[in-house]
Amino acid sequence: QVQLVESGGGLVQAGGSLRLSCAASRTIVRINNMGWYRQAPGKQRELVAHITSDGSTNYADSVKGRFTISRDNARKTVYLQMNSLKPEDTAVYYCNAPQAQSGWGAYDWGQGTQVTVSS
């Protein structure tokens, strides 16, 4: 059983920054592709950032140039550095390992971390 624990969210003004962390209970971070998802009220959960096991990254157009995903294999942790935050970034953020075909998370979802950006 893999547990994913997200942290680092909070309330920030537009233009501000936050750094999210996702700690995994097992060494999935090193061997899996990992991703950050977000879900805004009334919207579907979407994958916004993705890092492969060899370190390649990919981002949704809405966050490209503002968000950076990284990993620390020794700490079994994935990070999401979010800069130049906008009110439309307000959502609950989750991490997981995107499945190849569907992009949906391969493991049970954690509780997520709330990010609220005020205008």
Side-chain angles (χ1 to χ4, degrees), residues 18-41:
L18 284 173
R19 188 193 193 205
L20 307 184
S21 298
C22 169
S25 59
R26 287 167 50 190
T27 56
I28 64 168
V29 172
R30 176 176 59 83
I31 61 175
N32 279 50
N33 299 339
M34 295 296 296
W36 279 96
Y37 300 73
R38 69 184 181 188
Q39 187 167 18

Side-chain angles (χ1 to χ4, degrees), residues 4-86:
L4 298 166
V5 179
E6 301 91 350
S7 62
L11 173 63
V12 64
Q13 287 189 328
S17 298
L18 284 173
R19 188 193 193 205
L20 307 184
S21 298
C22 169
S25 59
R26 287 167 50 190
T27 56
I28 64 168
V29 172
R30 176 176 59 83
I31 61 175
N32 279 50
N33 299 339
M34 295 296 296
W36 279 96
Y37 300 73
R38 69 184 181 188
Q39 187 167 18
K43 294 189 176 181
Q44 290 191 331
R45 195 168 299 185
E46 60 172 344
L47 180 64
V48 297
H50 174 220
I51 185 167
T52 65
S53 55
D54 64 3
S56 299
T57 57
N58 198 20
Y59 301 92
D61 287 343
S62 58
V63 307
K64 200 171 293 184
R66 301 187 298 119
F67 290 11
T68 303
I69 187 171
S70 61
R71 66 201 300 157
D72 184 333
N73 292 337
R75 296 181 183 271
K76 298 182 286 185
T77 300
V78 182
Y79 302 98
L80 186 67
Q81 178 66 43
M82 306 188 296
N83 299 328
S84 303
L85 282 161
K86 304 176 180 180

Side-chain angles (χ1 to χ4, degrees), residues 2 4 6 35-37 45 94-97 103-112:
V2 173
L4 298 166
E6 301 91 350
W36 279 96
Y37 300 73
R45 195 168 299 185
Y94 304 85
C95 72
N96 214 310
W104 194 245
Y107 302 104
D108 290 342
W109 296 95
Q111 83 288 349

